[in-house]
Amino acid sequence: RGNEEPKAPWYAACPKCSKKTFGDDSAGFSCEACNWSGAEPNYRYILQLAVVDASDTAYVTAFNEQAASILGKSAAELKAIKDQSDAEYEAVLSNAQWQSCSIRLRCKGDTYQDVTRLKLSLLKMETVNFASEAKLLLNEIYAYPGVERGAEVKAEDTVAVKADDEVDVKAEGVATDVAMPDLTQSQE
């Protein structure tokens, strides 16, 4: 197992029904579902991902369209790159790692031998729009009692950090040393 090559993130699919085909490049491919056979299958992704946030790691499956958007290449293009150059293939995979994104997942419980596990599938992935995320967070801050929209925080309401990393809070509630602009209004 230690010297095995990792499983490719694509599979050979039938061009008619998109089901998995059997065979290889030298002998040809065949589909048991629709009885298709030929030398040119469609390659489709089934990409296993580790999704990490501040609280935990989740293992997610990204299928064809979502995986192509993550990697920036179709499965056929990535297979051709791998056939030509392992270094270029590894570069494509490395460029897709550690992206900040917002994702939507489908969770499905799967029971096998009386053990239920969650299967997570990627439905949608978007790059983080920091301006809209800041607006959402600011609206949550404004939901606290006593915090008004567009209110400036006074100097006596700030948090002072001492050299020994102790925090001295001089006022109750939300404290900051900068004014909080109202990001919900369009800026001209």
Side-chain angles (χ1 to χ4, degrees):
R1 282 197 156 223
N3 293 337
E4 287 182 18
E5 189 170 319
K7 186 177 175 183
W10 58 78
Y11 65 96
C14 174
K16 290 184 178 180
C17 67
S18 295
K19 302 279 185 188
K20 186 175 180 179
T21 61
F22 296 95
D24 59 25
D25 289 325
S26 62
F29 295 90
S30 63
C31 175
E32 292 180 355
C34 70
N35 293 325
W36 172 86
S37 63
E40 293 291 326
N42 286 343
Y43 289 97
R44 297 179 60 84
Y45 282 117
I46 184 163
L47 181 63
Q48 301 297 317
L49 307 169
V51 177
V52 180
D53 69 3
S55 63
D56 203 0
T57 300
Y59 297 95
V60 176
T61 302
F63 293 100
N64 200 49
E65 292 79 19
Q66 295 81 12
S69 72
I70 292 169
L71 296 174
K73 307 249 183 254
S74 72
E77 291 171 331
L78 191 61
K79 182 185 181 310
I81 289 171
K82 170 92 169 112
D83 291 344
Q84 295 296 316
S85 166
D86 282 340
E88 192 175 340
Y89 171 75
E90 291 296 327
V92 170
L93 296 180
S94 292
N95 289 338
Q97 294 179 5
W98 302 110
Q99 297 178 18
S100 294
C101 59
S102 176
I103 61 173
R104 178 177 232 167
L105 300 173
R106 172 182 292 138
C107 300
K108 182 179 177 186
D110 187 27
T111 303
Y112 178 72
Q113 295 183 346
D114 295 328
V115 176
T116 301
R117 294 187 312 172
L118 283 180
K119 286 184 149 187
L120 303 173
S121 300
L122 182 68
L123 294 178
K124 186 177 181 181
M125 181 179 124
E126 298 174 335
T127 57
V128 176
N129 182 336
F130 290 102
S132 67
E133 291 293 324
K135 287 179 187 179
L136 289 172
L137 292 173
L138 194 55
N139 284 332
E140 288 183 22
I141 290 171
Y142 287 141
Y144 285 102
V147 179
E148 298 174 15
R149 287 192 179 277
E152 240 180 82
V153 178
K154 299 177 186 113
E156 62 267 12
D157 293 341
T158 61
V159 175
V161 180
K162 296 179 182 175
D164 58 0
D165 291 335
E166 290 180 18
V167 177
D168 180 21
V169 179
K170 295 184 180 178
E172 293 181 21
V174 178
T176 182
D177 59 355
V178 296
M180 294 190 305
D182 187 358
L183 295 177
T184 59
Q185 303 296 321
S186 63
Q187 309 254 332
E188 296 179 47

